[in-house]
Amino acid sequence: MQTLSLLAVDRERLKPFFTRVPELFEAHHHHTNQDPNGYEELLYKIHRPYTNDMLDMIDEWMGLEKRKISGEQEIMLRLFLLAIRYPDTLLFESLDDVLVNDIRRLSAYLHFSSHTYTIWDDDTRKGLAKLGFEIPDTEKADPFIYGAYVGTIELIKDLAPFTCFLEHDVPRQRLFQAALAAYGRE
């Protein structure tokens, strides 16, 4: 994915975004509806072994309703979070349909359990589109669509000049995802 994407990247189109990453990140991450303090606390509260209470804290921060899954599915979900390794997304195919029905929820679990996966967000997709990267919309956790989303943000992060990397407590994936979300809303 990244090798092919590198051939089609319009670096000139990226430059205006890169100059604004710090400002865009601040606009998104520190917005009141993002609960930046809650986010930063969760980075340290979510750890192995993952518990239902930890997943509930993520759901609460995301503003999601309580999970409606069986005990067996809870175990499958926790094993999935232990087994998946960045940047792999094909492991999504091992989950049953109930667990992959909400890409936002699953991507948030991945983000807080690994800090490397990015949270699925429609504004981020719009920001990527403004930079020339079209990621299809989906509600299901499709391994290829989410893999393209994660890989594209990783590619942008790899191409970014050092001035984009702020001294902050958030992972770099969150820094770029937040900046892309603010960029997509403009």
Side-chain angles (χ1 to χ4, degrees):
M1 158 69 186
Q2 281 190 341
T3 306
L4 183 58
S5 296
L6 280 171
L7 297 174
V9 171
D10 181 350
R11 290 177 180 244
E12 291 302 313
R13 195 172 183 178
L14 295 175
K15 285 180 181 178
F17 170 73
F18 286 151
T19 61
R20 296 186 56 215
V21 165
E23 158 205 341
L24 291 165
F25 167 75
E26 292 292 329
H28 181 78
H29 181 70
H30 292 287
H31 193 274
T32 54
N33 71 1
Q34 287 296 307
D35 184 15
N37 293 332
Y39 170 83
E40 291 173 28
E41 284 178 24
L42 275 181
L43 290 174
Y44 299 101
K45 288 182 177 179
I46 309 301
H47 56 81
R48 293 176 185 228
Y50 306 117
T51 65
N52 290 339
D53 290 339
M54 290 179 200
L55 299 179
D56 290 343
M57 287 188 289
I58 296 169
D59 288 344
E60 185 179 329
W61 180 79
M62 290 285 293
L64 300 171
E65 63 185 44
K66 186 156 176 62
R67 289 179 311 287
K68 295 177 181 138
I69 58 178
S70 70
E72 185 178 293
Q73 290 167 327
E74 291 273 0
I75 291 169
M76 181 188 296
L77 176 59
R78 289 199 313 268
L79 289 173
F80 165 81
L81 293 173
L82 291 171
I84 197 165
R85 296 288 177 262
Y86 184 79
D88 182 31
T89 56
L90 290 178
L91 201 55
F92 283 12
E93 292 186 339
S94 67
L95 297 173
D96 66 20
D97 289 341
V98 172
L99 294 173
V100 297
N101 274 340
D102 187 349
I103 191 169
R104 287 186 63 237
R105 183 186 308 263
L106 196 54
S107 69
Y109 294 162
L110 285 171
H111 177 73
F112 285 105
S113 64
S114 72
H115 300 178
T116 52
Y117 287 96
T118 48
I119 299 171
W120 180 268
D121 179 83
D122 195 49
D123 288 334
T124 303
R125 283 184 42 260
K126 291 175 185 171
L128 290 169
K130 286 173 75 172
L131 296 175
F133 303 99
E134 293 289 336
I135 306 293
D137 191 15
T138 184
E139 289 185 19
K140 291 189 77 157
D142 180 284
F144 299 105
I145 294 173
Y146 183 66
Y149 177 81
V150 168
T152 303
I153 293 171
E154 184 71 21
L155 169 68
I156 290 169
K157 188 182 74 147
D158 289 346
L159 294 173
F162 74 94
T163 54
C164 291
F165 298 100
L166 308 168
E167 288 294 325
H168 207 288
D169 292 342
V170 305
R172 288 183 174 173
Q173 274 74 4
R174 173 63 177 175
L175 189 150
F176 278 89
Q177 185 261 319
L180 285 162
Y183 193 62
R185 277 193 308 276
E186 292 182 338

